[in-house]
Short mmCIF file of all heavy atoms in Angstrom, two decimals:
data_model
loop_
_atom_site.label_atom_id
_atom_site.label_comp_id
_atom_site.label_asym_id
_atom_site.label_seq_id
_atom_site.Cartn_x
_atom_site.Cartn_y
_atom_site.Cartn_z
N GLY N 1 8.54 -9.05 -4.64
CA GLY N 1 9.29 -7.90 -5.12
C GLY N 1 8.65 -6.56 -4.82
O GLY N 1 9.33 -5.65 -4.33
N LEU N 2 7.37 -6.41 -5.09
CA LEU N 2 6.69 -5.14 -4.85
C LEU N 2 6.85 -4.70 -3.40
O LEU N 2 7.14 -3.54 -3.10
CB LEU N 2 5.20 -5.27 -5.20
CG LEU N 2 4.28 -4.13 -4.75
CD1 LEU N 2 4.65 -2.84 -5.46
CD2 LEU N 2 2.82 -4.50 -5.00
N LYS N 3 6.69 -5.65 -2.47
CA LYS N 3 6.72 -5.33 -1.05
C LYS N 3 8.14 -5.11 -0.53
O LYS N 3 8.44 -4.09 0.09
CB LYS N 3 6.05 -6.45 -0.25
CG LYS N 3 4.52 -6.44 -0.32
CD LYS N 3 3.94 -6.91 -1.65
CE LYS N 3 4.25 -8.36 -1.95
NZ LYS N 3 3.60 -8.82 -3.21
N THR N 4 9.03 -6.08 -0.78
CA THR N 4 10.38 -5.98 -0.23
C THR N 4 11.18 -4.85 -0.90
O THR N 4 11.96 -4.16 -0.25
CB THR N 4 11.13 -7.31 -0.38
OG1 THR N 4 11.10 -7.73 -1.76
CG2 THR N 4 10.49 -8.38 0.48
N ALA N 5 10.98 -4.66 -2.21
CA ALA N 5 11.67 -3.57 -2.89
C ALA N 5 11.20 -2.22 -2.35
O ALA N 5 12.01 -1.33 -2.06
CB ALA N 5 11.43 -3.65 -4.39
N SER N 6 9.89 -2.06 -2.20
CA SER N 6 9.35 -0.78 -1.74
C SER N 6 9.81 -0.46 -0.32
O SER N 6 10.30 0.65 -0.05
CB SER N 6 7.82 -0.81 -1.80
OG SER N 6 7.36 -0.98 -3.13
N THR N 7 9.66 -1.40 0.58
CA THR N 7 10.00 -1.10 1.98
C THR N 7 11.50 -1.02 2.22
O THR N 7 11.93 -0.54 3.28
CB THR N 7 9.39 -2.15 2.93
OG1 THR N 7 9.85 -3.47 2.57
CG2 THR N 7 7.87 -2.12 2.87
N SER N 8 12.31 -1.45 1.26
CA SER N 8 13.75 -1.24 1.40
C SER N 8 14.10 0.24 1.30
O SER N 8 15.17 0.66 1.75
CB SER N 8 14.52 -2.04 0.34
OG SER N 8 14.35 -1.46 -0.95
N VAL N 9 13.19 1.03 0.72
CA VAL N 9 13.42 2.46 0.51
C VAL N 9 12.51 3.31 1.39
O VAL N 9 12.92 4.37 1.87
CB VAL N 9 13.20 2.82 -0.97
CG1 VAL N 9 13.30 4.32 -1.21
CG2 VAL N 9 14.19 2.08 -1.87
N CYS N 10 11.28 2.85 1.61
CA CYS N 10 10.31 3.70 2.31
C CYS N 10 9.55 2.90 3.38
O CYS N 10 9.57 1.67 3.40
CB CYS N 10 9.31 4.29 1.31
SG CYS N 10 8.24 3.05 0.52
N ARG N 11 8.86 3.63 4.26
CA ARG N 11 8.07 2.98 5.32
C ARG N 11 6.58 2.92 4.96
O ARG N 11 5.78 2.37 5.71
CB ARG N 11 8.24 3.72 6.64
CG ARG N 11 9.66 3.65 7.20
CD ARG N 11 9.73 4.17 8.63
NE ARG N 11 8.88 3.41 9.53
CZ ARG N 11 9.21 2.23 10.08
NH1 ARG N 11 10.38 1.67 9.78
NH2 ARG N 11 8.37 1.64 10.91
N GLN N 12 6.22 3.49 3.83
CA GLN N 12 4.82 3.43 3.40
C GLN N 12 4.76 3.42 1.89
O GLN N 12 5.44 4.20 1.22
CB GLN N 12 4.05 4.64 3.94
CG GLN N 12 2.60 4.72 3.47
CD GLN N 12 1.86 5.90 4.08
OE1 GLN N 12 1.64 5.95 5.28
NE2 GLN N 12 1.48 6.86 3.24
N PHE N 13 3.99 2.50 1.33
CA PHE N 13 3.81 2.51 -0.11
C PHE N 13 2.36 2.17 -0.44
O PHE N 13 1.69 1.42 0.27
CB PHE N 13 4.78 1.57 -0.83
CG PHE N 13 4.54 0.10 -0.61
CD1 PHE N 13 3.80 -0.65 -1.52
CD2 PHE N 13 5.05 -0.54 0.52
CE1 PHE N 13 3.58 -2.00 -1.32
CE2 PHE N 13 4.83 -1.89 0.72
CZ PHE N 13 4.10 -2.63 -0.20
N THR N 14 1.90 2.75 -1.55
CA THR N 14 0.50 2.66 -1.95
C THR N 14 0.42 2.17 -3.39
O THR N 14 1.24 2.55 -4.23
CB THR N 14 -0.18 4.03 -1.84
OG1 THR N 14 -0.14 4.46 -0.47
CG2 THR N 14 -1.62 3.99 -2.32
N VAL N 15 -0.57 1.33 -3.66
CA VAL N 15 -0.86 0.90 -5.02
C VAL N 15 -2.26 1.37 -5.40
O VAL N 15 -3.23 1.14 -4.67
CB VAL N 15 -0.76 -0.63 -5.17
CG1 VAL N 15 -1.26 -1.08 -6.55
CG2 VAL N 15 0.67 -1.09 -4.96
N ILE N 16 -2.37 2.08 -6.53
CA ILE N 16 -3.64 2.52 -7.08
C ILE N 16 -3.74 1.98 -8.49
O ILE N 16 -2.83 2.19 -9.30
CB ILE N 16 -3.73 4.06 -7.09
CG1 ILE N 16 -3.55 4.63 -5.68
CG2 ILE N 16 -5.05 4.52 -7.69
CD1 ILE N 16 -3.43 6.14 -5.64
N SER N 17 -4.83 1.30 -8.81
CA SER N 17 -4.92 0.66 -10.13
C SER N 17 -6.36 0.64 -10.61
O SER N 17 -7.31 0.70 -9.82
CB SER N 17 -4.37 -0.77 -10.04
OG SER N 17 -4.23 -1.34 -11.32
N ARG N 18 -6.50 0.53 -11.94
CA ARG N 18 -7.83 0.34 -12.54
C ARG N 18 -7.67 -0.42 -13.85
O ARG N 18 -6.62 -0.36 -14.49
CB ARG N 18 -8.55 1.67 -12.76
CG ARG N 18 -7.91 2.56 -13.80
CD ARG N 18 -8.67 3.87 -13.92
NE ARG N 18 -8.05 4.78 -14.89
CZ ARG N 18 -8.38 6.07 -15.02
NH1 ARG N 18 -9.32 6.59 -14.23
NH2 ARG N 18 -7.77 6.82 -15.91
N ILE N 19 -8.72 -1.12 -14.25
CA ILE N 19 -8.64 -1.98 -15.43
C ILE N 19 -9.13 -1.31 -16.70
O ILE N 19 -8.98 -1.87 -17.79
CB ILE N 19 -9.41 -3.29 -15.19
CG1 ILE N 19 -10.87 -3.01 -14.84
CG2 ILE N 19 -8.75 -4.10 -14.09
CD1 ILE N 19 -11.72 -4.27 -14.72
N SER N 20 -9.69 -0.13 -16.59
CA SER N 20 -10.10 0.63 -17.78
C SER N 20 -10.34 2.08 -17.38
O SER N 20 -10.42 2.40 -16.18
CB SER N 20 -11.38 0.03 -18.39
OG SER N 20 -12.48 0.21 -17.52
N GLY N 21 -10.49 2.94 -18.40
CA GLY N 21 -10.66 4.35 -18.12
C GLY N 21 -11.95 4.68 -17.40
O GLY N 21 -12.02 5.68 -16.67
N ASP N 22 -12.97 3.85 -17.58
CA ASP N 22 -14.25 4.14 -16.91
C ASP N 22 -14.47 3.27 -15.68
O ASP N 22 -15.55 3.30 -15.08
CB ASP N 22 -15.41 3.98 -17.89
CG ASP N 22 -15.43 2.60 -18.55
OD1 ASP N 22 -14.57 1.76 -18.21
OD2 ASP N 22 -16.30 2.39 -19.43
N ALA N 23 -13.46 2.49 -15.28
CA ALA N 23 -13.58 1.65 -14.08
C ALA N 23 -13.15 2.46 -12.86
O ALA N 23 -12.43 3.46 -12.96
CB ALA N 23 -12.71 0.40 -14.22
N GLU N 24 -13.58 2.01 -11.69
CA GLU N 24 -13.22 2.72 -10.47
C GLU N 24 -11.78 2.41 -10.07
O GLU N 24 -11.21 1.39 -10.45
CB GLU N 24 -14.16 2.33 -9.34
CG GLU N 24 -14.09 0.86 -8.94
CD GLU N 24 -15.04 0.51 -7.80
OE1 GLU N 24 -15.98 1.29 -7.56
OE2 GLU N 24 -14.83 -0.53 -7.17
N PHE N 25 -11.17 3.33 -9.32
CA PHE N 25 -9.83 3.11 -8.79
C PHE N 25 -9.87 2.12 -7.63
O PHE N 25 -10.84 2.08 -6.86
CB PHE N 25 -9.23 4.43 -8.28
CG PHE N 25 -8.80 5.36 -9.38
CD1 PHE N 25 -9.51 6.53 -9.62
CD2 PHE N 25 -7.70 5.07 -10.17
CE1 PHE N 25 -9.11 7.41 -10.63
CE2 PHE N 25 -7.29 5.95 -11.18
CZ PHE N 25 -8.00 7.11 -11.41
N ASN N 26 -8.81 1.36 -7.49
CA ASN N 26 -8.65 0.44 -6.37
C ASN N 26 -7.34 0.77 -5.67
O ASN N 26 -6.29 0.85 -6.32
CB ASN N 26 -8.63 -1.01 -6.87
CG ASN N 26 -9.86 -1.35 -7.68
OD1 ASN N 26 -10.94 -1.52 -7.13
ND2 ASN N 26 -9.70 -1.42 -9.00
N LYS N 27 -7.42 1.00 -4.36
CA LYS N 27 -6.26 1.53 -3.64
C LYS N 27 -6.05 0.79 -2.32
O LYS N 27 -7.00 0.57 -1.57
CB LYS N 27 -6.47 3.02 -3.37
CG LYS N 27 -5.39 3.67 -2.49
CD LYS N 27 -5.74 5.12 -2.20
CE LYS N 27 -4.76 5.75 -1.22
NZ LYS N 27 -5.11 7.15 -0.88
N LEU N 28 -4.79 0.41 -2.06
CA LEU N 28 -4.40 -0.17 -0.78
C LEU N 28 -3.01 0.32 -0.41
O LEU N 28 -2.19 0.63 -1.29
CB LEU N 28 -4.41 -1.70 -0.82
CG LEU N 28 -5.77 -2.40 -0.80
CD1 LEU N 28 -5.62 -3.90 -1.02
CD2 LEU N 28 -6.52 -2.11 0.50
N THR N 29 -2.74 0.37 0.90
CA THR N 29 -1.46 0.89 1.40
C THR N 29 -0.89 -0.03 2.47
O THR N 29 -1.63 -0.54 3.33
CB THR N 29 -1.66 2.30 2.00
OG1 THR N 29 -2.12 3.19 0.99
CG2 THR N 29 -0.37 2.83 2.60
N TRP N 30 0.42 -0.25 2.39
CA TRP N 30 1.15 -0.84 3.51
C TRP N 30 1.88 0.28 4.22
O TRP N 30 2.67 1.01 3.61
CB TRP N 30 2.18 -1.87 3.05
CG TRP N 30 1.64 -3.26 2.85
CD1 TRP N 30 1.52 -3.94 1.68
CD2 TRP N 30 1.20 -4.15 3.87
NE1 TRP N 30 1.00 -5.19 1.88
CE2 TRP N 30 0.79 -5.36 3.22
CE3 TRP N 30 1.07 -4.07 5.25
CZ2 TRP N 30 0.29 -6.46 3.91
CZ3 TRP N 30 0.57 -5.17 5.95
CH2 TRP N 30 0.19 -6.34 5.28
N ASP N 31 1.60 0.44 5.53
CA ASP N 31 2.25 1.46 6.35
C ASP N 31 2.92 0.74 7.52
O ASP N 31 2.24 0.17 8.38
CB ASP N 31 1.21 2.46 6.86
CG ASP N 31 1.82 3.62 7.63
OD1 ASP N 31 2.95 3.47 8.14
OD2 ASP N 31 1.19 4.68 7.71
N LEU N 32 4.26 0.74 7.53
CA LEU N 32 4.98 -0.01 8.56
C LEU N 32 4.71 0.54 9.95
O LEU N 32 4.68 -0.22 10.94
CB LEU N 32 6.49 0.01 8.27
CG LEU N 32 7.01 -1.09 7.36
CD1 LEU N 32 6.35 -1.04 5.98
CD2 LEU N 32 8.52 -1.03 7.22
N ASP N 33 4.47 1.84 10.07
CA ASP N 33 4.15 2.43 11.37
C ASP N 33 2.80 1.90 11.87
O ASP N 33 2.64 1.65 13.07
CB ASP N 33 4.11 3.96 11.27
CG ASP N 33 5.48 4.53 10.92
OD1 ASP N 33 6.50 3.94 11.33
OD2 ASP N 33 5.53 5.56 10.21
N HIS N 34 1.84 1.74 10.97
CA HIS N 34 0.53 1.20 11.34
C HIS N 34 0.65 -0.26 11.80
O HIS N 34 0.06 -0.65 12.81
CB HIS N 34 -0.42 1.31 10.15
CG HIS N 34 -1.75 0.70 10.38
ND1 HIS N 34 -2.72 1.26 11.19
CD2 HIS N 34 -2.31 -0.47 9.90
CE1 HIS N 34 -3.79 0.51 11.21
NE2 HIS N 34 -3.57 -0.56 10.43
N VAL N 35 1.45 -1.04 11.08
CA VAL N 35 1.64 -2.45 11.45
C VAL N 35 2.31 -2.55 12.82
O VAL N 35 1.93 -3.39 13.66
CB VAL N 35 2.48 -3.18 10.38
CG1 VAL N 35 2.84 -4.60 10.84
CG2 VAL N 35 1.72 -3.24 9.06
N GLU N 36 3.30 -1.69 13.08
CA GLU N 36 3.96 -1.70 14.39
C GLU N 36 2.99 -1.32 15.51
O GLU N 36 3.03 -1.90 16.60
CB GLU N 36 5.14 -0.72 14.37
CG GLU N 36 6.36 -1.24 13.64
CD GLU N 36 7.55 -0.30 13.80
OE1 GLU N 36 7.37 0.79 14.38
OE2 GLU N 36 8.64 -0.66 13.34
N LYS N 37 2.10 -0.39 15.21
CA LYS N 37 1.18 0.11 16.23
C LYS N 37 0.16 -0.94 16.65
O LYS N 37 -0.10 -1.12 17.85
CB LYS N 37 0.47 1.36 15.71
CG LYS N 37 -0.50 1.98 16.70
CD LYS N 37 -1.14 3.25 16.11
CE LYS N 37 -2.11 3.87 17.09
NZ LYS N 37 -2.76 5.09 16.53
N ILE N 38 -0.40 -1.68 15.66
CA ILE N 38 -1.46 -2.64 16.00
C ILE N 38 -0.93 -4.07 16.11
O ILE N 38 -1.63 -4.96 16.60
CB ILE N 38 -2.60 -2.58 14.97
CG1 ILE N 38 -2.12 -3.11 13.60
CG2 ILE N 38 -3.15 -1.18 14.84
CD1 ILE N 38 -3.26 -3.31 12.63
N GLY N 39 0.31 -4.31 15.63
CA GLY N 39 0.90 -5.64 15.76
C GLY N 39 0.27 -6.69 14.86
O GLY N 39 0.31 -7.88 15.19
N LYS N 40 -0.33 -6.29 13.76
CA LYS N 40 -0.98 -7.25 12.86
C LYS N 40 -0.62 -6.94 11.40
O LYS N 40 -0.24 -5.82 11.07
CB LYS N 40 -2.50 -7.17 13.02
CG LYS N 40 -3.02 -7.60 14.36
CD LYS N 40 -4.56 -7.49 14.41
CE LYS N 40 -5.10 -7.90 15.76
NZ LYS N 40 -6.59 -7.76 15.80
#
């Protein structure tokens, strides 16, 4: 759902999350243009 729902509207989506207020942020992005460019 996260992936197919997001890309039905946009070509790039990012998730940023943390498990507590003093924990570090964790960030990853799917960019369809990047996937097309490198083919992976």
Side-chain angles (χ1 to χ4, degrees):
L2 168 64
K3 284 74 64 176
T4 54
S6 297
T7 57
S8 72
V9 175
C10 66
R11 295 191 60 81
Q12 176 177 294
F13 69 96
T14 298
V15 172
I16 302 171
S17 190
R18 67 182 178 192
I19 57 175
S20 67
D22 55 3
E24 64 180 18
F25 286 110
N26 304 286
K27 174 184 175 182
L28 285 173
T29 298
W30 275 113
D31 185 337
L32 273 60
D33 296 328
H34 175 74
V35 173
E36 283 187 354
K37 181 179 180 181
I38 68 170
K40 294 180 181 179

